[in-house]
């Protein structure tokens, strides 16, 4: 017997798949299609990690299985290579981004191929390739021409470390989601995509078009969009002259509004417009604006605020009520001002209690009591709409804000816009795309609010395409999310030079059937790409409204100590090290065996060894079957175990229960360890094992005399008639307490089962000569002896 040598076997079959083009997907095939997608990575200097492997292996198991089911399967891969991660790595190493990114991609591709991934590499895309970002720029211009891409100066999130603007979705708990630095607010000229115009369509899609998405993912997006239905009501005031507009979801409580609270952001705007606020108010505003949103809105936080000395008129009571500034009101939600109703809102009640402000109850047990004759005695819910119209106008507000789409960095897609003094903002003509990112010596961010591109006069200064006057290029670049917002579309037709993808290719492949990825991208990439696709659908450029039919998120892999893997803690497990020691099949199977796919799991070196031993047993069994020249015939028990395995693994792959599928393989090996196994059974077992451990399956299949790849074989079907157990285990109890167990053929009569149970040594000792009063036999399951 030869020793299991994964290094030799895996190199052999990876080369075979590559030369034979085993995983090539055909456009327009007559087969039914399945489009399986895993999030493409940004190529970091550290290489790919265990988190990448988890999603990619799940996608690979699914893709290999679906091919064997007879589908035309597209499982592509590429590189999300523009943006902050790649640029920061280049700055850290002192290597040009283009050079460092190319080297990182080469290393990541080596890793993926070493893992035995069945990607169709003929469709590989790279967001930094001009042939790719030409279409990213073209798609941006479709937004621009539709009025959904616009330039404006506004208060945005600013990361002082990365020296760039950030979208709201890139700020987590008040910090930059990339580097963890506390985010500041800065007034800057920016480009925006009007995602708010699609807020309702994004919500409708979650409700009506995505039944196979996890509820947790849909809820996160729904909460992020944050639709609120209510009314805008104007409280007249001397300062500001136009009055104060508040948004409320409870217009029925307006008679209980005893003060107004404005956000520090809105109060600061009043000061800029000429309001002479007191020193105390200015100090409070300055201090509040340094806090992050989570700190400002925390439920258990002590309420702080300052009286402006100003008043406004409550349009319902006609009374003058004080105006306060408080940090628990945010400038980016609603109008930046609220009417405070302490009798019917907990936060307002806390604030009123802290500053001894009046409380007026206007609703009791759902009935209006403290308003006016018109409303008193009626149920609040019945007069809500009427009161919204009587005192203001019905309004819908969203937490969602337009997407800040420009970055003050070098390493990104140039925004294809030209600024002309005569013509204004002009789109770069299609014939001049792509606008190439120029090669530069200095690519470090300036921190001034301008991109490093602004300093390259030879690139910035151009002629206006409309009037031919001297003009200037837009110098901000697109965010790292631009290329990933449509990459799934390019995979279907990646070499097309005339359009981003041909209509027939889009029609055949879309939507993506199964999309594997992390939970952390729910309100970033997933939301953005849904927005792009909905827009393109409205423009009749894609055939489906929603890009992804099913979303399958995976949990984080923690270190063996239960902590997050990090270099500083010294607990990182490198996939390359595991492959070098145990092989790719062991790593793949262990990744899937760790726990439920969606769960957070901890790494275990001992668990890896267990999977390696399992594969060694498989290897020994396969070699033994081949060496015996297939003379043995499989037992009924072995056949029953195999068909039980086929049924279980089929169901588990269909439902992404990869961990229990692998448990079934191990159980199968235990069940047949003393049973004869023939070539047919061994080959069928290898077909079922193949999606999880493809290298060893291919090698042993070849050893059994098969000349074709296992990938070309059909997925086995469970023969239900063989699932009937040939033998059963019977538990023996005395007065309900388990004393022993034994196996009998499934067809054994109740009388014979009773006889065998009473003859067992442990039972005769326990009875000690006593005669049973009664013996209860449940056939094929239980014998209970009553004494």
């Amino acid at each position: 017997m030869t020793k299991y040598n994964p290094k030799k076997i895996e190199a052999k079959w990876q080369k075979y798949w590559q030369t034979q083009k085993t995983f090539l997907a055909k456009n327009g095939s007559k087969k039914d299609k399945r489009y399986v997608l895993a999030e493409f990575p940004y190529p970091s200097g550290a290489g790919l990690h265990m988190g990448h492997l988890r999603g990619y292996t799940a996608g690979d198991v699914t893709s290999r299985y679906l091919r064997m089911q007879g589908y035309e399967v597209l499982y592509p891969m590429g590189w999300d290579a523009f943006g902050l991660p790649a640029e920061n790595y280049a700055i850290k190493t002192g290597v040009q981004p283009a050079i460092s990114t190319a080297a990182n991609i080469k290393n990541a591709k080596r890793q993926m191929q070493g893992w035995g991934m069945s990607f169709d590499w003929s469709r590989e895309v790279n967001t930094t390739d001009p042939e790719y970002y030409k279409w990213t720029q073209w798609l941006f211009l479709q937004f621009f021409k539709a009025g959904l891409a616009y330039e404006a100066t506004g208060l945005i999130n600013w990361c002082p470390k990365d020296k760039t603007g950030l979208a709201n979705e890139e700020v987590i708990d008040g910090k930059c989601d990339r580097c963890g630095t506390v985010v500041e607010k800065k007034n800057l000229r920016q480009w925006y995509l009007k995602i708010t115009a699609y807020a309702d369509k994004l919500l409708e899609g979650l409700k009506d078009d995505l039944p196979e998405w996890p509820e947790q993912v849909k809820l996160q997006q729904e909460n992020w969009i944050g639709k609120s239905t209510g009314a805008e009501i104007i409280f007249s005031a001397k300062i500001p002259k136009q009055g104060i507009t508040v948004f409320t979801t409870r217009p029925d409580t307006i008679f209980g509004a005893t003060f107004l609270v404005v956000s520090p952001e809105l109060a600061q705007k009043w000061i800029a417009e000429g309001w002479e606020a007191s020193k105390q108010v200015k100090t409070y505003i300055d201090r509040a604006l340094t806090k992050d949103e989570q700190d400002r809105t925390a439920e258990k936080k002590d309420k702080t605020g300052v009286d402006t000395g100003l008043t406004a008129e409550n349009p319902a009571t006609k009374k003058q009520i004080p105006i306060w500034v408080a940090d628990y009101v945010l400038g980016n939600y609603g109008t930046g001002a609220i009417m405070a109703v302490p009798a019917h809102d907990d936060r307002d009640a806390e604030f009123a209690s802290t500053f001894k402000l009046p409380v007026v109850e206007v609703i009791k047990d759902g009935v209006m009591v403290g308003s006016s004759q018109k409303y008193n005695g009626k149920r609040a819910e019945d007069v809500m709409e009427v009161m919204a119209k009587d005192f203001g106008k019905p309004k819908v507000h969203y937490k969602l804000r337009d997407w800040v789409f420009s970055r003050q960095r070098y390493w990104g897609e140039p925004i294809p816009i030209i600024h002309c003094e005569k013509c204004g903002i002009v789109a770069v003509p299609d014939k001049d795309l792509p606008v190439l990112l120029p090669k530069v010596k200095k690519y470090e961010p300036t921190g001034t609010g301008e991109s490093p591109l602004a300093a390259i006069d030879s690139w910035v200064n151009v002629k206006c395409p409309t009037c031919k006057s001297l003009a200037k290029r837009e110098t901000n670049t697109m965010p790292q999310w631009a290329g990933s917002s449509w990459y799934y579309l390019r995979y279907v037709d990646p070499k097309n030079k005339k359009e981003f993808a041909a209509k027939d290719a889009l029609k055949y492949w879309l939507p993506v059937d199964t999309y594997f990825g992390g939970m952390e991208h729910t309100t970033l990439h997933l939301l953005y790409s849904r927005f792009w696709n909905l827009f393109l659908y409205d423009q009749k450029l894609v055939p489906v409204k929603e890009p992804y039919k099913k979303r399958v998120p995976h949990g984080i892999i923690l270190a063996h100590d239960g902590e997050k893997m990090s270099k500083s803690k010294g607990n990182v497990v490198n996939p390359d090290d595991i492959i070098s020691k145990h092989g790719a099949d062991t790593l793949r199977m262990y990744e899937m065996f760790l726990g439920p796919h969606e769960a957070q799991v901890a790494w275990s070196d001992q668990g890896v060894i267990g999977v390696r031993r399992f594969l060694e047993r498989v290897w020994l069994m396969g070699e033994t079957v081949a060496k015996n020249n297939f003379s043995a015939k499989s037992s009924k028990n072995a056949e029953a175990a195999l068909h039980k395995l086929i049924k279980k693994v089929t169901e588990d792959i269909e439902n992404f229960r990869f961990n229990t599928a692998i448990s079934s393989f191990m159980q199968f090996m235990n069940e047949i360890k003393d049973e004869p196994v023939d070539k047919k059974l061994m080959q069928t077992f290898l077909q079922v094992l193949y999606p999880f451990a493809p290298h060893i399956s291919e090698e042993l299949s070849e050893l059994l005399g098969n000349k074709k790849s296992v990938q070309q074989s059909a997925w086995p079907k469970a023969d239900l008639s063989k699932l009937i157990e040939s033998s059963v285990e019977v538990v023996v109890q005395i007065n309900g307490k388990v004393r022993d167990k034994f196996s009998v053929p499934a067809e054994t009569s109740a009388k014979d089962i009773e006889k065998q149970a009473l003859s067992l040594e442990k039972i005769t000792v326990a009875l000690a000569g006593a005669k049973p009063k009664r013996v209860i036999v449940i056939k094929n399951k239980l014998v209970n002896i009553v004494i």
Side-chain angles (χ1 to χ4, degrees), residues 114 288 476 577:
N476 281 343
D577 295 339

Side-chain angles (χ1 to χ4, degrees), residues 74 162 231 305 356 370 386 435 439 522 543 546 629 648 694 738 757:
L74 172 57
D162 288 330
K356 296 181 172 53
V386 174
V435 176
K439 293 179 181 178
T522 298
E546 291 290 345
N629 292 318
K648 182 72 168 71
V738 176

Side-chain angles (χ1 to χ4, degrees), residues 641-653 657 688 715-720 723:
L642 175 69
H643 287 276
K644 184 172 73 172
L645 178 72
I646 295 168
K647 183 176 183 293
K648 182 72 168 71
V649 172
T650 302
E651 291 169 354
D652 283 349
I653 293 176
R657 296 191 299 254
V688 183
W715 183 256
K717 290 184 179 177
D719 184 343
L720 299 182
L723 290 178

Side-chain angles (χ1 to χ4, degrees), residues 702-727:
E702 186 182 68
L703 204 60
L704 292 175
N706 295 294
K707 293 181 180 178
K708 287 186 176 181
S709 166
V710 180
Q711 182 67 92
Q712 292 176 282
S713 64
W715 183 256
K717 290 184 179 177
D719 184 343
L720 299 182
S721 68
K722 291 180 179 177
L723 290 178
I724 300 166
E725 302 284 352
S726 56
S727 65

Side-chain angles (χ1 to χ4, degrees), residues 289-300:
L289 291 175
T290 64
K291 298 177 183 178
D292 64 64
E293 287 187 10
Q294 189 184 36
D295 181 39
R296 284 171 59 177
T297 57
E299 284 186 20
K300 294 181 181 179

Side-chain angles (χ1 to χ4, degrees), residues 183-248:
V183 169
E184 300 172 355
K185 294 288 184 181
K186 201 166 188 173
N187 226 30
L188 277 182
R189 177 186 67 84
Q190 294 288 326
W191 278 91
Y192 295 84
L193 287 189
K194 200 171 180 59
I195 191 172
T196 52
Y198 274 76
D200 280 329
K201 286 187 177 182
L202 287 164
L203 286 170
E204 286 163 13
L206 292 174
K207 181 184 173 185
D208 301 331
D209 303 324
L210 299 172
E212 296 184 70
W213 274 42
E215 287 303 318
Q216 182 187 3
V217 173
K218 291 198 282 188
L219 185 62
Q220 270 189 256
Q221 286 204 2
E222 187 181 328
N223 289 343
W224 186 260
I225 295 166
K227 183 176 181 178
S228 298
T229 303
E232 276 189 356
I233 300 171
I234 298 173
F235 286 68
S236 58
K238 290 182 179 178
I239 297 177
K241 288 180 182 178
Q242 69 272 25
I244 300 164
T245 303
V246 305
F247 171 73
T248 178

Side-chain angles (χ1 to χ4, degrees), residues 51-77:
H52 292 111
L53 180 63
R54 196 173 193 194
Y56 299 159
T57 305
D60 194 64
V61 169
T62 303
S63 297
R64 290 177 187 269
Y65 163 76
L66 289 171
R67 292 187 194 103
M68 294 174 78
Q69 287 280 19
Y71 294 104
E72 191 69 43
V73 176
L74 172 57
Y75 188 39
M77 185 45 64

Side-chain angles (χ1 to χ4, degrees), residues 399-413:
K399 178 186 169 190
L400 183 70
R401 289 289 173 264
D402 282 343
W403 177 6
V404 177
F405 198 72
S406 49
R407 299 293 180 269
Q408 296 68 44
R409 305 282 296 217
Y410 166 69
W411 193 238
E413 300 91 340

